[in-house]
Amino acid sequence: MTIMRCELDGKLAVITMTNQAKRNVLSEAMIGGIIAGLEQASRARARTVILRAEPGCTVWSAGHDVSELPAAHRDPLGWGDPLRVVIRAIEEFQAPVIALIEGGVWGGACEMALACDMVVATPNSTFALTPAKLGIPYNISGLLTFMNVTGIHVVREMAFTARPVPAERAQALGIVNHLVEPSGITEFCVGIARDIEKLAPLAIAVMKEEMRVLASAHSITPRMFERVQGLRRRVYDSQDYQEGVKAFQEKRPPSFTGE
Amino acid sequence: MTIMRCELDGKLAVITMTNQAKRNVLSEAMIGGIIAGLEQASRARARTVILRAEPGCTVWSAGHDVSELPAAHRDPLGWGDPLRVVIRAIEEFQAPVIALIEGGVWGGACEMALACDMVVATPNSTFALTPAKLGIPYNISGLLTFMNVTGIHVVREMAFTARPVPAERAQALGIVNHLVEPSGITEFCVGIARDIEKLAPLAIAVMKEEMRVLASAHSITPRMFERVQGLRRRVYDSQDYQEGVKAFQEKRPPSFTGE
Amino acid sequence: MTIMRCELDGKLAVITMTNQAKRNVLSEAMIGGIIAGLEQASRARARTVILRAEPGCTVWSAGHDVSELPAAHRDPLGWGDPLRVVIRAIEEFQAPVIALIEGGVWGGACEMALACDMVVATPNSTFALTPAKLGIPYNISGLLTFMNVTGIHVVREMAFTARPVPAERAQALGIVNHLVEPSGITEFCVGIARDIEKLAPLAIAVMKEEMRVLASAHSITPRMFERVQGLRRRVYDSQDYQEGVKAFQEKRPPSFTGE
Amino acid sequence: MTIMRCELDGKLAVITMTNQAKRNVLSEAMIGGIIAGLEQASRARARTVILRAEPGCTVWSAGHDVSELPAAHRDPLGWGDPLRVVIRAIEEFQAPVIALIEGGVWGGACEMALACDMVVATPNSTFALTPAKLGIPYNISGLLTFMNVTGIHVVREMAFTARPVPAERAQALGIVNHLVEPSGITEFCVGIARDIEKLAPLAIAVMKEEMRVLASAHSITPRMFERVQGLRRRVYDSQDYQEGVKAFQEKRPPSFTGE
Amino acid sequence: MTIMRCELDGKLAVITMTNQAKRNVLSEAMIGGIIAGLEQASRARARTVILRAEPGCTVWSAGHDVSELPAAHRDPLGWGDPLRVVIRAIEEFQAPVIALIEGGVWGGACEMALACDMVVATPNSTFALTPAKLGIPYNISGLLTFMNVTGIHVVREMAFTARPVPAERAQALGIVNHLVEPSGITEFCVGIARDIEKLAPLAIAVMKEEMRVLASAHSITPRMFERVQGLRRRVYDSQDYQEGVKAFQEKRPPSFTGE
Amino acid sequence: MTIMRCELDGKLAVITMTNQAKRNVLSEAMIGGIIAGLEQASRARARTVILRAEPGCTVWSAGHDVSELPAAHRDPLGWGDPLRVVIRAIEEFQAPVIALIEGGVWGGACEMALACDMVVATPNSTFALTPAKLGIPYNISGLLTFMNVTGIHVVREMAFTARPVPAERAQALGIVNHLVEPSGITEFCVGIARDIEKLAPLAIAVMKEEMRVLASAHSITPRMFERVQGLRRRVYDSQDYQEGVKAFQEKRPPSFTGE
Ligand code: NI
Ligand code: NI
Ligand code: NI
């Protein structure tokens, strides 16, 4: 049983997460599959990529595979960790990547969806930023992904309450580009892809790269960054971090103490 | 007669401005009170703070206490001046601060509300950025508070026209997180606080700090900053600055000449 | 036959593009005219500028004059090129500039409209970012103009699909400040100007400059910038760049190959 | 009696401070004269400027005219203040400016000399950074002038001890380009000017501007800058600031208390 | 037996490391002592601090206490680790700190000495940057300390060869402010302190803080920083890191494999 | 006849430019050879690279191959141009690169030498930065290479006068790490390499990368960069640029007019 597939349709590549049994959790295997799909698309010189789950799914992706999180005392969101790798692969792909969303988008999957160039969603979709449920200190470039998409009040609400944002509200806030009913969403995204195919690929690639550079251009001093890393280390050294992961695995609500 | 009060309800602290007679003007005393409330909340390890005026107020806060503005030739928005101090106290508070808004929010109070992590407002609320009414040169980090919340066209409209933005429009633009009728707004905010209490406090604190750092990360050269300070000095050295303050105190429209 | 006119109405300057026959294309002459208009407004110490096309037009401006684009191997968006010059003239004008929009706004004209401090538009207006139709590598500060106005998903959709954004959606996203019917839009903008005139001009000027500085404050390393310039050079050295311009002039769809 | 003169010798402009009676103090008049000299040199398209005192002087310049310093509560080193203006005029001059130094260089004059592109000095010259003698909070871009010339240990020694650095040590540290005996220093500098005249003026101008930009590229956040301004304000609000100026005028040692 | 002492002599505080038996290794206890000394000096409002070893020592400080380094898989130079804490304490001390150096200065002690405001050394002193001997990935703000003191060729030589730099060469390069024979070095440093005491303390404090800010103002993007952290993690996860520490403890040369 | 060779001696790679007939001009072929040498060294996991000319040469390298410079209207120092490519290859090489210098180092070769991690030179070597002789606008990251090595007065003298800096002065200024007689220089550099081989390669690699990042961390705004590019374009569009190249090829002094 595979957990994803990549199909080429002319100049369009469609990467589909198919591991519904595990709610398309972003395991190393799943992320490896998405990256392999992007590489296949790149070799085929795809002009657009659609990243999606299977039609009719209720969870687009549940985010981090909690069973793969490192034990305490170790940054769970380091440069080489799977979520960071796939975010960069999407950002650096030389053509537009469209997130086609149906169902719930949770945690790291929420950043993965928002790191795509555009988001098209069905009305029943929801977006939730959930590290505070597990006690995970999100990394700074990860939060920047959210801050480039919409205003800081909305990002803070998502990060601090972990409440899901419904698709309609997400669209009003510029997070979702278009709301489309499930029956028409595939066709809608293919329509975007067909438009992109008529345009100049080099111009699109360079504008994507320029925007990636600009979006990243919120520089901070080494001192400030090391301070933030120090604060993050205190979190992944904390008992709460261990409690968060353990409670998740035991399917019970966590009991956090701030220590 | 006190001008504010701070109540602790379990892990929730509620800071209420009660100086309706003076429209909750941000005098040194009021700001000292808010800061004292935040410190009390911090000692109690509050997980959420709600900053509000009394139910039923028509003005949430009128902003700067004009009678306390420095005379000409002196930066009215320096590092140690009350408004700047309270903005930083809110930004640096280790847990989410929710602005519960009812009525008009003017001038410096508008920045104070927007510096909160989330804004929940009643439909009749309005937000106005009014330094151009007084001839005050707003400071650069103050304007950045606004630019991190919403797009630049909206911020410019607010700054250059001083027109109030109604709550509904503010919500559509991401300035206000949620619109709630007066009868339900307290309960709504308490509901958010209850959700926050279930999550990991260290993870929330570090994400708040990371976003504070990112939001501030619009660095400029010393030269450019000193140039802007020079432009600002010309404003608070101007006759218009004196006229703005005087006209306000004499309750008449100012007559500005650009000199 | 002139292609623009500038009228002074008290403290309000109205710059009108009148070259409807050529869809107000941003030729050197047109841009020279707009800049002359701004200079005239500056000398008259205008407190507001309205930049508009003639009432009833179907195209506000078609953007770049393709016939004036440099041949291949030459950056079409250099510092001294007309579009860049007019963008800076608007940004540096010492008082608010309102874009009064009716009809289609295409390509470089889209950036010119968004570089204005506020945008007021009729419901039938549309905004399209079209360099990918011609194979032009947009410059990095040009893309930053868009990113300061709204979220990155919307900007990417505009840049990568070249699809027009209708005025109503543009308003919801903070791109357009106000939607007004054609019959009332002039009066509406004059109303804003009248409000601005009552406020302190120095305070407005300094806040405009502060926001210009903050909006530009997305600094990048010399190395990264030179890398982006290198990528852009590959685009304007490409066959596609020549094909894009040629197809436009021959009024046929371009045939891009990515080379 | 004039206090400076500007002579053109072909493509070389020589600006000489001649107010030895007042030790070439940088009064508004003196700085106005230097700027006028630079403008004259610019109109003549001078390829090199030499900035010097009269041969044989014992004090090249004594720096700030203390009698012109603002009273307390006012930044003495604002954007429009004379020292800042002349520093920028030198940095922005489109051709190399050579400081020809003989004698003592004190305080603001030390920054003026170091802001020149090259420094040629006689062996008896000395360089002293003296604001701590007066209690003046130097401005941040002013200190950056020093930090771009040599290492931070040397700059701190100069700033914190106010001790003069002899020319020989200054040369070893890269502050002085060349040490030349008084009898030959004029000819030596003219020799440099003659070499510059053979080279491409546009290439030199653009490299000077690039280095000016790079030297200034130590950006800081608005928040950090405002904090530094706040610290500086406490200094020019202090009693020590007033005592420093008063003691200087009374020609007695100051008695500082740190308050 | 104590390992350090702090003496107050009027407005001068002298902190002396006295653990010659262990070559003044920077154990947590030693660093705690230095910080306590700085706090004592601060309470006494000391105008200068001298940081020194006992007269006649052959090793000023041997740097990191290798026995306290974290096991593999853990950043040995995190925000809260002792070396980073003492570096910041010196940088943030409100008055000048003079490193009085006699003997060898190794590893982390080399950064501690260079983080002082000035360095005065005896001719037999040497400075060595030795993390490559142990396989430790130095942190980015630590390397910046070196880069602010002298040119990059010298810093790279120190970091890549671990060879000691003799005091005379260090002085020529601006690393050492003054070379003084052991017999006179104490008096020499006290002489500097006496000069400092005559100057304005607030002006010195603010200039020190401004230079600290400027020296730190080499900002990088979150992405770039996280990439560097990822590279550093690979080093402290490596076998070589463990080999380096082990070999040091077994007093044998390490055998590095690059894995 | 080859123009360079690369030899491996254990963990040391020696790249020798052997095209003395053409004074080791940095033609595309020569640079291609150096890059190939670096790649070979990388595959062999060399721990040190020595970049040198043949013993006894009088010109280490004459810099740019003027015959390969682009015609006017084209940036001669773009991202993909040979000099920029080799600079980055040296900076990104994962181990130290030592420039072993004998003879004159001119123009682009001067940056290539200074981009090496260390410079060891014979006493008769000289370093000259010569773009102003040809009328070439040096690029901004190229000038930054110089500014990271030594103070700005020295860099400006080199750039504006094109005068060669003798090795002894270069050493005093930190440009050259060590001066060694020709007879011993090879052995001296091999000695450094042997020391490097004993140290931890991963620690060295990460420190090299951290310093590369810090050295590049002088970020500027897109606007400022585009302005500088515009100034540079005016230079390579100028008649002087063409005159400089032509005069060089005709072996006569150029006659520059500033146009
Ligand atoms: Ni931003
Ligand atoms: Ni930004
Ligand atoms: Ni720097």
Side-chain angles (χ1 to χ4, degrees), chain E residues 177-230:
Chain E
N177 292 65
H178 296 282
L179 270 192
V180 189
E181 289 298 328
S183 58
I185 194 167
T186 300
E187 191 182 5
F188 184 89
C189 290
V190 171
I192 295 178
R194 294 305 169 228
D195 273 13
I196 290 171
E197 287 168 26
K198 293 178 200 134
L199 303 172
L202 295 174
I204 289 175
V206 80
M207 290 193 292
K208 176 164 174 173
E209 178 62 8
E210 289 176 278
M211 284 195 255
R212 188 189 71 76
V213 167
L214 284 169
S216 183
H218 290 82
S219 295
I220 50 181
T221 62
R223 182 189 175 98
M224 185 58 82
F225 198 99
E226 290 177 352
R227 185 177 145 266
V228 166
Q229 286 297 99

Side-chain angles (χ1 to χ4, degrees), chain C residues 74 92 223 225-226 237, chain F residues 74 92 141 223 225 237:
Chain C
R74 185 89 178 155
E92 292 170 5
R223 183 188 173 96
F225 198 100
E226 290 177 354
D237 280 358
Chain F
R74 184 88 178 156
E92 293 170 5
S141 76
R223 182 189 175 97
F225 197 100
D237 280 358

Side-chain angles (χ1 to χ4, degrees), chain E residues 48-100:
Chain E
T48 313
V49 171
I50 292 173
L51 177 61
R52 64 174 302 166
E54 287 190 292
C57 64
T58 53
V59 177
W60 190 77
S61 165
H64 265 99
D65 186 340
V66 175
S67 70
E68 289 181 359
L69 282 176
H73 310 302
R74 184 89 178 155
D75 189 341
L77 287 158
W79 180 258
D81 290 321
L83 181 62
R84 305 313 325 152
V85 173
V86 77
I87 297 291
R88 294 198 301 274
I90 291 168
E91 291 174 344
E92 293 171 5
F93 191 79
Q94 78 274 17
V97 179
I98 301 172
L100 185 166

Side-chain angles (χ1 to χ4, degrees), chain F residues 67-99:
Chain F
S67 70
E68 290 182 358
L69 283 177
H73 311 300
R74 184 88 178 156
D75 189 341
L77 287 158
W79 179 258
D81 289 321
L83 181 63
R84 305 314 323 153
V85 173
V86 77
I87 297 291
R88 293 197 302 273
I90 291 168
E91 291 175 344
E92 293 170 5
F93 190 79
Q94 78 274 16
V97 179
I98 300 171

Side-chain angles (χ1 to χ4, degrees), chain C residues 102-210:
Chain C
E102 191 175 356
V105 184
W106 305 347
C110 192
E111 188 188 350
M112 186 173 77
L114 269 59
C116 292
D117 296 296
M118 289 168 251
V119 177
V120 179
T122 60
N124 74 328
S125 306
T126 59
F127 298 82
L129 179 50
T130 52
K133 281 193 173 172
L134 286 163
I136 292 177
Y138 220 74
N139 66 311
I140 200 160
S141 76
L143 290 171
L144 187 51
T145 303
F146 291 87
M147 288 172 66
N148 276 305
V149 170
T150 195
I152 201 169
H153 284 171
V154 175
V155 180
R156 286 192 193 126
E157 178 187 338
M158 292 179 75
F160 300 162
T161 71
R163 287 182 172 184
V165 172
E168 196 174 1
R169 185 177 171 214
Q171 189 217 16
L173 295 165
I175 299 172
V176 165
N177 292 65
H178 296 282
L179 271 191
V180 189
E181 289 298 329
S183 59
I185 194 167
T186 300
E187 191 182 5
F188 183 90
C189 291
V190 171
I192 295 177
R194 293 307 168 225
D195 272 13
I196 290 171
E197 287 167 27
K198 294 178 199 132
L199 303 173
L202 294 174
I204 288 175
V206 81
M207 290 193 292
K208 178 165 174 173
E209 178 60 10
E210 289 176 278

